[in-house]
Amino acid sequence: MFVVTGASGKLGRAIVHQLAQRVPVGRLVAVSRNPIALADLAALGVDVRQGDFADPPSLASAFKGGKQLLLISSNAKAYGGDSLGQHRVALAAARDAGVERIVYTSHMAAGHDSAFPPMHEHAATEDMLRASGLAWTALRNGFYGSSGLAMLAEGMRSGAFDTAADGPVSWTAHADLAEAAARVLIDTSRDSGPTPPLTGPEALDLSDLAAIASALMGKPVVRCTHPVDALRAKLQERGLPPAIVAISLGFYDAARKGEFSTVDPALERLLGRPPIRMRDLIAQQLGH
């Protein structure tokens, strides 16, 4: 039985659909805090269950019978919660339920010393997995292409967008990462440990993205670069919580240091085809 947590999210839902193309749907369990949101998966024959990292007893029934668990990382810390505490609860529930292997959605830049705060939780969770006694795989996912689209969105609307100085990022499509996760989850022969970076085919900075958008739209998209302190003040004026401000600014710092610049062939080998390019994601966003 394959169990996927966070199945109502963009990545989790896509992973369930990818698994449904490869194994009988009767072997799939989709877990969400709000199972009503998974009515479409239930209609396919997927076993939909309620489970909440913040409610440990709910995970016992959510994980029951599961042998392979896809653990979608929690972003609770960004909103004042305890991501590591939730991961710890999920690992304990998995052991108690008899899960044999956990596949965790980590990140290419996972590290205790990263300039990008979420990477600390990924590194600490990988440490937990090493100590868990279970077989495990950490998917070292490339930076989501959808995040690049979100940063570019204002520029595509108004013609200009504000950023700090950055560096090249190997933007990676959700669709590719979902397919990769499904393939890894099914492949039980893998040794425990992290994957190589699962990245898109090229590393582009935000000026590169602006140039692509300009070419596709036939009009200028201007990337305006500001000092970090000025951008911090702008984000604070918008009323964003301190944790979100730290994450936003940490991205630029980490990108300048090259934390997201690696381009690795591992994803292409896993998929058996070239990964989706950022140009294609931007064109899709524009309806081209």
Side-chain angles (χ1 to χ4, degrees):
M1 190 82 76
F2 298 89
V3 179
V4 178
T5 71
S8 56
K10 182 175 182 178
L11 183 61
R13 185 184 297 275
I15 291 170
V16 175
H17 279 288
Q18 286 290 336
L19 285 168
Q21 297 175 31
R22 293 168 171 80
V23 300
V25 291
R27 297 176 59 196
L28 302 181
V29 175
V31 177
S32 172
R33 287 176 296 179
N34 179 22
I36 295 174
L38 301 180
D40 59 320
L41 297 181
L44 293 176
V46 176
D47 184 358
V48 170
R49 300 178 185 176
Q50 196 276 337
D52 188 343
F53 292 170
D55 178 20
S58 71
L59 299 181
S61 56
F63 294 170
K64 184 177 180 181
K67 297 303 179 185
Q68 308 289 322
L69 173 67
L70 193 290
L71 178 61
I72 299 285
S73 58
S74 168
N75 66 346
K77 187 170 182 179
Y79 301 95
D82 182 3
S83 298
L84 287 181
Q86 292 189 0
H87 293 168
R88 192 174 293 110
V89 165
L91 293 184
R95 276 195 303 269
D96 292 345
V99 169
E100 296 174 354
R101 176 173 173 248
I102 294 177
V103 176
Y104 169 70
T105 57
S106 189
H107 197 284
M108 65 181 294
H112 295 288
D113 299 323
S114 173
F116 189 47
M119 300 303 97
H120 307 161
E121 279 70 49
H122 286 309
T125 300
E126 290 187 11
D127 291 342
M128 288 183 203
L129 288 165
R130 287 185 185 92
S132 70
L134 300 173
W136 63 282
T137 301
L139 300 168
R140 289 284 184 89
N141 288 341
F143 214 101
Y144 291 155
S146 60
S147 297
L149 293 176
M151 295 177 194
L152 190 60
E154 176 59 30
M156 291 193 293
R157 283 194 300 268
S158 68
F161 64 111
D162 298 324
T163 77
D166 66 337
V169 176
S170 50
W171 307 103
T172 312
H174 268 77
D176 286 344
L177 294 174
E179 181 177 343
R183 290 181 180 276
V184 169
L185 197 63
I186 292 168
D187 180 8
T188 59
S189 66
R190 284 178 169 267
D191 293 334
S192 288
T195 67
L198 302 174
T199 73
E202 57 191 343
L204 305 170
D205 66 17
L206 292 173
S207 293
D208 296 325
L209 299 192
I212 292 170
S214 295
L216 289 171
M217 297 174 68
K219 60 181 182 180
V221 175
V222 179
R223 180 260 183 99
C224 305
T225 304
H226 301 276
V228 170
D229 287 344
L231 190 59
R232 178 183 291 108
K234 186 180 291 286
L235 295 174
Q236 290 172 339
E237 288 172 6
R238 289 168 51 191
L240 295 179
I244 299 296
V245 173
I247 289 171
S248 298
L249 299 180
F251 162 79
Y252 297 110
D253 191 10
R256 288 193 300 273
K257 293 176 178 176
E259 292 192 31
F260 313 128
S261 63
T262 298
V263 174
D264 194 284
L267 182 58
E268 181 169 356
R269 288 197 299 263
L270 189 56
L271 299 177
R273 59 170 174 80
I276 298 167
R277 304 175 76 88
M278 195 61 183
R279 181 183 184 88
D280 297 324
L281 293 180
I282 295 173
Q284 183 181 47
Q285 182 84 349
L286 292 170
H288 289 195

